[in-house]
Amino acid sequence: MTADHRKGGMGLTACLLGLLALIVAGKCSYSPEPDQQRTLPPGWASLGRADPEEELILTFALRQQNLERLSKLVQAVSDPRSPRYGKYLTLEDVAELVRPSPLTLRTVQKWLLAAGAWNCHSVTTQDFLTCWMSVRQAELLLSGAEFHRYVGGPTKTHVVRSPRPYQLPKALAPHVDFVGGLHRFPPTSSLRQRPEPQVAGAIGLHLGVTPSVIRERYNLTAQDVGSGTTNNSQACAQFLEQYFHDSDLAEFMRLFGGNFAHQESVARVVGQQGQGWAGIEASLDVQYLMSAGANISTWVYSSPGRHESQEPFLQWLLLLSNESALPPVHTVSYGDDEDSLSSTYIQRVNTEFMKAAARGLTLLFASGDSGAGCWSTSGRYQFRPSFPASSPYVTTVGGTSFQNPFRVTSEIVDYISGGGFSNVFPRPSYQEEAVTQFLSSSPHLPPSSYFNASGRAYPDVAALSDGYWVVSNHVPIPWVSGTSASTPVFGGLLSLINEHRILSGRPPLGFLNPRLYQQRGAGLFDVTRGCHESCLNEEVQGQGFCSGPGWDPVTGWGTPNFPALLKTLINP
């Protein structure tokens, strides 16, 4: 559906014009729109009120249908014990299931046209509507909104956002989940460059994590690469104001990719890819997805160059709802504190992940780089879970370090590895046994007041996250650390397993968690030593959860042992 009121659109009715007049005059009752993240992030400053005639792009998330059926279908296509396992839905099937009701579509479209919105575009599933409007029109449409111009972030990005909550007309509340493009600021990278560890002597040592170190630790041979004969592909999504450079990828592969077949360049960039300075995180994502998932066609979803009122993460979700043919594996290094987002927003994004799972997409999210996290309300400390890491419909990747940072040894917890228990999502059935076992057997549990023991627990798996080499702006950079590194590595290895499955006539892995938990960590190295960081107070003294045998909320089931993982996941 494309609507443009400048070209006539659907026409304006006297009834709706009357409704709009009442709204503008403040005589309609409102129900508050609950997605109200308004705290100004560190490093951002207001430049004052936005020009009333400045143009915005706002995204309206329309209320979907049949979500209970969607949930049951996801369970059926993702559970190896189900006769429907691997029989994924097409995008058109998903659209048929979740498409908003005709009443919702009609009501919202007419409301927006009456308000003067133009160039409104929907997606295949018809559950998002993105429209242009002026600041003046948006402030009339969404009572309470007040748009300001802000500057901040490492690249001094300009954005237009509303620091105040807004309200939807009461008649619209049953039809709209949230309006995107008002509150959330662009994310910042949590990657760290750590000091180089000190060690005496250098015989038999490595000087940081490279593709050859990863391949040695996770038991990949030179033959463990893509065949180049399938339509298999993989993707990473980037929401920072960063670019990657093809020349950096070429230099990275020249330095570190000599002992395995690999592709020389990214197959497809979705979004804007400029010529500015490369970012370390953008470079890291591409270089390690393409070296772990070696010789497999790779897409990059890139956000630089977007309009100032757009939210990159939301734009990525819209792309997933509008593309019939997508890579089976997507790796994403992005997260927000759960408590900074409204329940309505989180639940709706979680539904978008359900839609992806129903289509057989594997979504991997970094678990975060703040350990268990920490926040304090009224003097009471609690751990601080991260979203989307806490979604029950994504596979979340934690982080590890080598026991000896200069040798390819067994792994221990990387103290930054994000993990814990959701305060929003209940524990999904697929992890009931594993989490119950952890809670009943761990000798180092934090006080129960710090976490929601009945919530969705994460991460699900882990990989090395400490001490990576990255090439950015033609310069090799050592000791880069974060779960932004472990996530593309695990994703690349899953792409190699998908390659074997496709060659043997089987569907891609799809949503991995039900199978992962049924197999109780088969094919993974169990990480049993170390704890991650948390609140620096007297009660927990900076320590969150600790790893142990089996699943734990620091490293999940563990890190990949590729030949064993391949054997575990190739059939059925």
Side-chain angles (χ1 to χ4, degrees), residues 496-518:
L496 293 180
I497 294 172
N498 273 340
E499 183 88 358
H500 285 270
R501 289 179 61 87
I502 292 167
L503 287 169
S504 62
R506 301 192 183 282
L509 287 165
F511 174 45
L512 190 59
N513 291 10
R515 181 168 187 162
L516 191 67
Y517 282 81
Q518 280 177 32

Side-chain angles (χ1 to χ4, degrees), residues 221-232:
T221 69
Q223 286 69 49
D224 290 319
V225 295
S227 65
T229 63
T230 71
N231 61 356
N232 190 20

Side-chain angles (χ1 to χ4, degrees), residues 76-391:
V77 300
S78 308
D79 185 344
R81 299 170 299 191
S82 163
R84 286 212 56 173
Y85 179 66
K87 297 176 181 175
Y88 304 125
L89 278 65
T90 64
L91 177 59
E92 290 68 29
D93 293 334
V94 172
E96 193 66 32
L97 194 63
V98 304
R99 182 181 293 122
S101 70
L103 176 63
T104 290
L105 292 171
R106 188 167 58 248
T107 302
V108 176
Q109 289 166 5
K110 287 185 176 180
W111 175 63
L112 288 168
L113 288 173
W118 72 89
N119 197 24
C120 291
H121 294 279
S122 189
V123 292
T124 301
T125 47
Q126 293 185 261
D127 48 2
F128 285 106
L129 195 58
T130 299
C131 296
W132 288 76
M133 64 187 70
S134 70
V135 165
R136 186 195 310 277
Q137 289 166 329
E139 290 180 350
L140 288 172
L141 190 68
L142 302 167
S143 176
E146 183 181 286
F147 288 89
H148 291 239
R149 177 170 285 280
Y150 296 91
V151 63
T155 57
K156 299 302 177 190
T157 304
H158 285 251
V159 299
V160 177
R161 295 290 187 269
S162 170
R164 295 176 52 190
Y166 63 91
Q167 294 176 315
L168 286 167
K170 192 173 182 179
L172 265 293
H175 303 291
V176 177
D177 286 333
F178 68 86
V179 183
L182 281 89
H183 298 314
R184 282 172 296 281
F185 284 76
T188 55
S189 175
S190 60
L191 276 178
R192 312 177 187 189
Q193 190 174 8
R194 295 180 182 168
E196 181 177 341
Q198 300 301 307
V199 68
I203 298 172
L205 304 181
H206 67 79
L207 297 176
V209 175
T210 64
S212 62
V213 169
I214 286 168
R215 297 179 79 83
E216 180 182 348
R217 168 58 187 155
Y218 297 144
N219 292 323
L220 283 86
T221 69
Q223 286 69 49
D224 290 319
V225 295
S227 65
T229 63
T230 71
N231 61 356
N232 190 20
S233 56
Q234 58 190 0
C236 58
Q238 302 173 345
F239 310 123
L240 302 172
E241 293 295 309
Q242 291 192 359
Y243 305 115
F244 75 92
H245 286 172
D246 280 325
S247 57
D248 286 339
L249 176 62
E251 177 67 5
F252 178 84
M253 291 300 187
R254 186 187 71 79
L255 290 171
F256 303 121
N259 59 352
F260 57 91
H262 56 264
Q263 300 210 348
E264 298 293 333
S265 60
V266 168
R268 181 177 173 188
V269 176
V270 183
Q272 300 290 326
Q273 173 60 13
Q275 301 301 315
W277 283 88
I280 293 178
E281 184 149 338
S283 305
L284 174 87
D285 286 345
V286 173
Q287 289 163 18
Y288 281 91
L289 182 60
M290 292 186 68
S291 53
N295 211 35
I296 289 174
S297 178
T298 301
W299 297 19
V300 175
Y301 289 86
S302 182
S303 71
R306 62 183 172 75
H307 188 274
E308 290 174 344
S309 64
Q310 285 179 298
E311 296 173 19
F313 178 64
L314 191 55
Q315 298 310 304
W316 176 71
L317 290 177
L318 266 63
L319 287 167
L320 294 188
S321 283
N322 213 32
E323 289 273 346
S324 294
L326 290 169
V329 172
H330 295 249
T331 76
V332 188
S333 304
Y334 164 79
D336 275 310
D337 297 323
E338 260 191 359
D339 58 87
S340 73
L341 302 168
S342 75
S343 174
T344 304
Y345 176 83
I346 284 182
Q347 295 291 352
R348 174 55 187 265
V349 172
N350 192 54
T351 299
E352 299 309 304
F353 298 150
M354 285 172 58
K355 286 161 58 180
R359 296 171 61 191
L361 303 183
T362 304
L363 304 184
L364 295 117
F365 276 82
S367 70
D369 298 336
S370 303
C374 183
W375 68 314
S376 172
T377 53
S378 304
R380 176 172 166 250
Y381 286 92
Q382 285 182 297
F383 296 157
R384 196 172 201 182
S386 176
F387 178 81
S390 64
S391 166

Side-chain angles (χ1 to χ4, degrees), residues 367 396-401 411-414 417-420 458-463 490 524-532 545-548 550-559:
S367 70
T396 304
V397 186
T400 61
S401 303
E411 293 160 76
I412 59 174
V413 168
D414 185 347
S417 179
Y458 70 96
D460 305 298
V461 293
F490 207 101
L524 298 166
F525 291 118
D526 195 4
V527 179
T528 60
R529 290 187 54 196
C531 309
H532 62 184
F545 298 99
C546 297
S547 64
W551 180 90
D552 57 69
V554 191
T555 59
W557 286 108
T559 63

Side-chain angles (χ1 to χ4, degrees), residues 421 427-442 445 453 455-460 513-521 548-553 556-557:
F421 294 78
R427 184 189 305 161
S429 58
Y430 61 72
Q431 65 172 191
E432 182 68 40
E433 183 183 345
V435 177
T436 300
Q437 172 69 21
F438 170 80
L439 291 172
S440 64
S441 63
S442 174
L445 276 184
R456 154 42 167 165
Y458 70 96
D460 305 298
N513 291 10
R515 181 168 187 162
L516 191 67
Y517 282 81
Q518 280 177 32
Q519 294 176 174
R520 300 189 56 77
W551 180 90
D552 57 69
W557 286 108

